[in-house]
Structures are given as structure tokens and as C-alpha cells.
Amino acid sequence: MAKFSLYKWFKNVSIAHKLYSVVGIMAVLIAFELGTLYFAMNTLSSVRAFVGAEGLWSKSQKDAVYHLQQYSQTDSEEDLQAFYHFMKVPMGYHKTLSELNKTDLDLNVARQGLLEGRSHPDDTDGMIKLFRRFKDISYIHESINIWAEADATIAELMPIAEKLHAEINSPSPSQDKLDEIIQEIEPINQKLTLLEDDFSYTLGEGARWLENTILALLLAIALTVEFSGLILTYFVVRGISKGLKEIRSASKGIGKRDFSVRAKVFSNDEIGLLAKSFNDMTAELSDSIQKQLQSSQDLEAKTKFIEESERRIVRIMEALTKTTQFDFSEKLTISDRADELDVIAAGLNTMSEELEYHLKQLKQSEEKLNDAQHLAHIGSWEWNIVNNTIEWSDELYRIYGMSREDFEANYENYIECIHPDDREYVNNIIQKSYQDHQPFDFFHRLLLPNGDERTLHGRGEVFLNNEGEIIRMNGTAQDVTEEKEIEKKLNQYNIELETKNRDLESKTNFIQENEKRIVRIMEALIKTTQLDFSEKLTISDRGDELDAIAVGLNTMSEELEFHLQQVKESEEKLNVAQRLSKIGNWEWDMATNKVQWSDEMFNVHGYGDERFEVTFEKAMERVLPEDVERSNERMKINIENALQSFTENSSLEFEIDPVTYTLVLPDDSRKVVQGIGKIILNTDGLPTKMVGTVQDINEQYKVEKKLNQYTIELEIKNKELAQFAYAASHDLQEPLRTISNFSKLLANKLEPYDDKDMNQYMRLITGGANRMSKRIFDLLDYSTVGKNMSKLDTDCNLVLKDVLIDLSALIEESGAEINAEKLPITLCGDLQVVFQNLISNAIKFKKEGIPPVIDISASDTGKEFLFAFKDNGIGIEKEYNDRIFIIFQRLHTRTEYDGTGIGLSLCKKIVELHGGNIWVESEAGKGSTFYFTIPKN
Amino acid sequence: MRKKLNCILLVDDDPDDNFFHQIIINEMNMVNTIDIARNGIEALEYLQKENCIPPDIIFLDLNMPKMNGWEFLEKYKHLSKEQKAKALIIILTTSANPEHIEKAKEIEDVTGFETKPLTKEMLTKILQEHFQNYI
């Protein structure tokens, strides 16, 4: 419990209350003083009354004594009566005194006594009170004692009076006796006189003491009143002036615009409250001044901001104008405010970038499409049936060996280009497709203007209008002459195109979203950049910057719409291309397990027009279970490899080797497809997604399978044949050898007999046996050549050098001159046999008497190296140019030129095993040039 | 006067060839004994005989019935040093199949590879290379 402090209370009480308190205290003190005064007056009055009463008492006592003395002399009854009469006064006081000494005082008796003592009725109460109140005061006590003695003394007069009366009235009054009695009176009288004096004196002393006491009291009270009044006033005034002083000095501070000053609050009274209010007011004032200052600063900043914003809007507008003019050279600077204008600026930058990117992408996409077509040797065409116009892609012209200038693309001319044998077949298919509205897919041959033949894979389909009439046919033609290589490239390109396409799509989405965001942000400010192209911004007639932005955005929106349309069209084209080539593409987001399939993916997997959300599991649903298992294992390995590739080369993409697998369709039919893909990692090296293509290669697979089967069979047959050739030659050699060996022995034995015929027969037998043996060896060579041919990078110069060393004897003997240019290094098997045969042939078939000159050269024709061996020999008649390459074919008799006729056929076989050609250009007597080609890969 | 070789072993199933090769070798007058084994088994038996004359040269045909040349070489590898003696093994076969030549090169015991028929030139060359102290 808080201690109650009067000081504190007084300090905090209101000034009015303070003043009331001061006046109250003064009033109480004055009242007390007045009370005291009244009491003193009363007391003094009572003293006076007692003094008066003493006077009366004394007079009555004196009169009574006198009359008693008179009575003794006069014996007059009157005097006696007078005595009694005067005695009544002391008796009255006696009554009062005896009553006063009683504890249970009867005021009426006491009062009666005083009245009988002839006191004034008004004084009676005061007299009684005085004695009762002050009986312990020494003076009063003394007085009472004196009174009581006097009272007892005067009472002695009564028996004297009676004795006197009895003497007087006795039948024989004796004067002596009377005198004796009278003598008794005097001492009493004297005693009484003394007592009376004492009483008056004592009472007078008491009165004086009282007077002094009361005076002192009154003086003290008066001083207290004065002093307390002074102190209170001082306190009040000090409190007020102190508070006021604080307020005044605070006001001065405020006058000097120092709003931090505060008046000190000393109390909770009006001054304190005033100080508080003053402080509140100062604080508020300070606040409001602060606010005013702030707002003026704000105003300044806002003005600056508005000016800056206007400048930025102008810049944005300029940028917009530039962007709409496809000038992407400048980008808007983005401030660090990150406000709406920055969002617009950033948006516009992005839009401009995207637009630029789109334009680039479109160009690239077109180029890629052309490139892809070119690479894949796929030409595309569109036959607009309504206008009967055919549009051919560049590649199609290339495939057909035509140029746009000299070939008018129409159906008749198209048919003209087709190989004569296939024309009817092609015409039938196209006519059938035209009638049945069904797509077509077939292979046919072309006959190019230069006489080359090409095989094309033609695919096409029919587009109908709403009435079901044909409006156009679209198709592709693929040069499948080198199908394997092309397929690979095409697949790669398709992946690239698909990835680009996907990228484009996602970028487009990004733009749309981004712009929509800007629109949302700026909706209240400017209703603009709504990528919903159905609505255009309304331009007010104010023509201010905002209108300019609106106009710019409208233009941009139109442009964007146009370009998006173009992108869509290009996408559609790609989709058509995908459908025709049966390639679908996919993208698997590993984090969400969502797989995106292109339309063709659904087709390839046999879902037709059915569409659903694809997950990894769903994507694998129709894959043959063994293949799923295989694929999962492969996936693990691929991811490991991708991680390794990331660790080693920090490559973010990892190409997966193509894989062939089987789909099981709901009707239990199977379809072979080929998948190509790559793993994409984020910069932390975590695989995030996979993208790839799946191509329906069922038809190719069937063909390949058959081909493989044939190849295997062929290999078996070849092996058997080689085995046969080897065994045959081996077995044939044995008897032949016996003939040869023993005919030689026989010839040796017969030599001495010198029989001309016999010796010739023997020579013929030996020679025949030897030739047969050599032919059998040659045949074996021929059948086994290239059996285990492994291709290595070979320096043909070194090959030639070795051959020349081997043939050095022959060259020296014939005096041949051999001129060789620098020959290439190429990937090949053993060309030594070819070089050797061509050189030795050139020396062998020299003109009589003319030393052979052989020029050896090679040239790079791009895909292959063309070797030429030119000689100055006897030449070959044109009609035999082909025949010389056939095994055992000879143009000359054995006697003219030695040889088995195997050399060139062996050369032909070796060159052809390399995928090259060998031929001769020659005329009889004019020398020959043997050419052969070795493809680079 | 230079020494003659002790013994030449012809391992061949073709009697014509064996006959012809004997004539040629005899004409060279270079050896005391010419023995013939008609296949790998006979050749092994010959080498493992107690009183066998260790051949200086073995001419080995490849294509033989019962045990061909390759099989013989495989067994020969595991013969004891005494049984192997110091014989040169020269494959003498009908045709020089490159595969066979390669295969023969890898066998330690084989010294040469020749195609039939055996000629005086061949023999002279062998003598010059391996038997310089002989005829």
C-alpha cells in the first residue's frame, strides 16, 4: 500500500483546492481562536460572577452578624428575622457547594443554590462549569477549599443564633449569657473576614493566571494562523510560479523554433496539466511541422519522380516505336526502382528480345527446315488442287536435279521425271489417293536429266475442305539412296528441330505470361499489353505519352499476333513433317515425372486421336516388358555416363545412343520403333529432363531384318564357297602335283635320248600341269581376297614405294619410267595387289621397242579419291574395255603375253570391296588409262 | 668331308608326294635315313619308339587323316626333350593359306612353312640356314 504523503497530495491537488485548503485551515484556526476567546470570556465572567457572589456572600455574612448582634441587644425578633434573611445567601451557596461536591450533580439544585445566593441567573451555569471544569486547577481548588471552610465556619452562626434566641426568649434571659453568646460571634466573624479575603485573593490570582494563559494561547494561535497562512501561501505560489516559469522558458524555446523543448512537470495540478498540455501541444506542433517538412520533401521527391517517370515513359515510347519498326538495337535501361515502369521496361525488353528472337528463330527455323530437308534429302511439295499449282521445296528441286528456272512444277512434268518403268505405278498410287482421300507411302525411282537413277521414298496426304472436297495434297519425297546415313542425320536434325521447337514454344508461353503479368500490374494505370489479340487498346484523343504507349502496344500486339501466327504455321508444318516421317518427339521432366508428347508420339504409340496426361510409366506402358527392363538398365548406365561427362567436361547435355525397341499395341500387334534422346543436366550436374524422338521404323525394321537375314545367309554361303574353293583347290592340287612332279622327273630322265617329239610332249605336259596349278592358286586367291580386309589409314605413297621395290627387277629389265604424283592417305585395306597388277600390266603390255612410261596420279573428288594409271602401251580395243576385268578373260594368246588373266579381275574385286569402281579408258595402239576410285569412308 | 644328316622324317598321307620327296632328298645325298609317317599318330609313335633314330628335320603336312598336322604339333609340344631331340619342323603343305601361315608362326616348334613340292632349292636353303656343318 502506497504511503500516503500529505506533501505529495498537496502538491498534486488543484490550485483551487489548495486555496480552499489554506482558507479552510485559516478558518479552523480562527474559529479555534474565537472558541478559546469565548471560553476565556466565559471563564472570566464566571470568575467575575464568583467575585460578585463573594461580595454578596461577604455582605450578607456581615449583615447577618450585625443583625445577630443587634438581636442580642434589642432582642427584636425583626433582627433575628433579618439575620436569617441574610443567612439565606450563604446558605444558598452552601447548597450549591455541597451539590458540587456530589458526584451525581443535580444542576437544578446547584443553580437554585446560586439563585438563592442572589447570583444573576445568567451567571449560574458559568459558575457551576467553572468550578467543575477547573476544580483541579490549584487556584480554583484553593478557592473551593477556602469556600468550604468559610461555609463550615458560617454554619456555626446558626447554632449561635438559636442559642441566642433561646436565651432571649428564656424566662430569665441573662445578659451575661447573652454577652457570652455574643462573644462567640466575633471570632467567627473575624475568621470569615480572613477567609473572604483569601477567597477573593485566590480567585483573583486564578483569574489573572487564566487571563495570562489565555492571552498566551491566543497569541500562539494567532501566530500559528499567521505562520501557516504564510507557509501555505508560499507553497502554493512557489508551485504556481515554478510551473509557469517552466512553461515560459519552454515557450521561449518554441519561439526560437526549438521544438524539442518540453516544460518540466512538477505536479498534477492545473500548472502541471497546463505544462502537460503545453508539452502535448509542442509535440503536436513539432509533429505537424515535421509532417509539413516531410510532405514538402515528399512533394519535391514526387515532382522529381514524376519528371523522371515522364522521361522514362518517353524512353519506353521511343523503344516501343523502335521495336515496332523491328529495330532491336537498343534496350531500355532498367532502373533499380523495380516499379511499374521498370516492369514495363523489362517487359518491353523481354518482348523486344523475344520478338527479335522469334524473327531470328523464324528465319532459322525456315533455314533449319530447308537444311533439314537438304540433309535428309527430303523435299516437300504442296499441290494446291484448287489453283492446280504445285509448290516444291528447294530440296525437292535438288533431288530432282532441276532448278526453279527451268522446271515448271506441275503434275505432268512431275510424272515426266519419274523413271519410265515406275510412271504408271506412281500415277496409280496418286490417283488412288486422290480418289480415296487416303495418305500414300511408297518408293519409286527417278531418272535424272543426267541419266542418274535415284530411289525416292514418297509420302503424302490429302487435305479436304469442310465439304469433303480435296483442296490440296501435301507430301514429302526422300532420297533414300543412302538411307542409313541420312536416317541418322535426319534423326539428329529432328531432335534439334524438336528441341528448338519446344524451346520456341516455351519461350512463347513465357512472353505471353510475362506480358499478361505486366498488364495485370499496370491495369489501373494503362490498360495495355493484353496479349489477347481480340481486343485492342482504345486510344483517347489526348495524344499524350500514354496514348503513344497504347498505340505502340497495339502495333506490337498486331506484330506479335502476326509472328505468333507464323510460328504456329511453322509448327504446323513441322507437325505435318513429323507425321509423314512418323517421328514423334517427347520431353520428360524428371522432377514432375511429366512427359510431353507431340501428336505424332500418340500416333506412333497407337493412341490415334486419344489424348491424356503422359507420365513416365504411362509412356512405357506399351513397350515390350523385356524392353522396359532393358531400357531401365540402360537408363541407369546413361545417367552414370551423363554424370561422368558432366564431371569431366561439365557438359550439360548427354546424347544417348539410339535404341530400337518394340511396342505392343492393344491388338497384340507389334511395332518396332527407334528412340533417340539426350539427358539434360542442370548446372549442379543433376539430370533434370530427357528429350528425344521416337520414330516408327517398323517397315524399315522388317526390311532390315530381312536384309540381315539375307546378309547372314549370304555370309554363310560365302563361307561355304570359300571353304569349297579352298578344299577344291587343295584337292585338285594333289593329283596335279603328282603329274607335274613326275613329268619333270621323267623329262629329266628322257633328256639324254634326244627325241625331239618326246621332249616337246614332256614340256607340254609339264607346262599344262604348271599352268593349271597356277590357275588353281589364282582362283583361290581371288575367292579369298578381302576376306579379312580391315581398313586402316594408309599412305598410298608408301604402298607404291613397296610395290616398286617388289617390281624393281621387272622395271629395270624393261627400262620403264614411272612418274608418280603425291598420292593421298586414305582409309583402305590392302591396295598393294591393285597397284602391283596395274603397274606390271602396263609394263607387260608395252609397245615393241618402246620403253614403257607410266604416270600415276590421284585426285580428290569430294567423296572419294580417283586414282589413274596411265601408260603408253598397246592399248585395248574399246569393245574389250569391260571384258578385261572378268576372271580368266584374256585378250592375247599365252605365247604373246604370259599370264593367267586373273590380275584385273582381282583388282576389280578389291576396288569394289572398298565400294569403289574400276574402269579403263583406252584405244588400241594409243595406250591405256586405268581409273579406280576409293571412297573416303 | 662334311657329315650327312642322320634322319629326315616325312609326315604325309600322300604316297605320291612321299615318293617324289624321297627321290629329291636322295638326289641331294644329304641324309642317311628317310622315314615316313602317314599321319600324326604314326609320327608320334615314331618319335616315342625306344630305338628311334632322332630325325634332324620333320617335313609336316597339315591335311592328314586321323591326326592332322595341327593336332600333331599340339601333342608334340608336350613331348620330353629327348623325344623332341633337335628336330626342325617344317610345314610342307599344298597351298599357302594365309591363315595357316599366321597360325604356324605362333607355334614355337615350327621353323618353316613351305608349299609342295619340295625342291632341291628348298633343301639347299634349309641346309645353309640350319646345318652349316653338313653337306
Side-chain angles (χ1 to χ4, degrees), chain A residues 446-458:
Chain A
L446 277 189
L447 192 60
L448 300 193
N450 65 2
D452 282 356
E453 249 183 47
R454 276 185 191 170
T455 308
L456 289 196
H457 186 183

Side-chain angles (χ1 to χ4, degrees), chain A residues 726 730 733-734 737-738 741-742 745 777 780 787-788, chain B residues 16-17 19-20 23 63 94-95 97 99-100 116-117:
Chain A
Y726 177 75
H730 188 269
Q733 284 288 354
E734 279 177 11
R737 198 166 52 240
T738 308
N741 290 343
F742 290 97
L745 288 179
F777 277 125
L780 191 64
K787 206 170 141 194
N788 292 310
Chain B
D16 292 0
D17 283 349
F19 180 49
F20 179 72
I23 291 170
N63 190 12
T94 304
S95 65
N97 186 329
E99 278 178 29
H100 292 171
K116 289 177 184 175

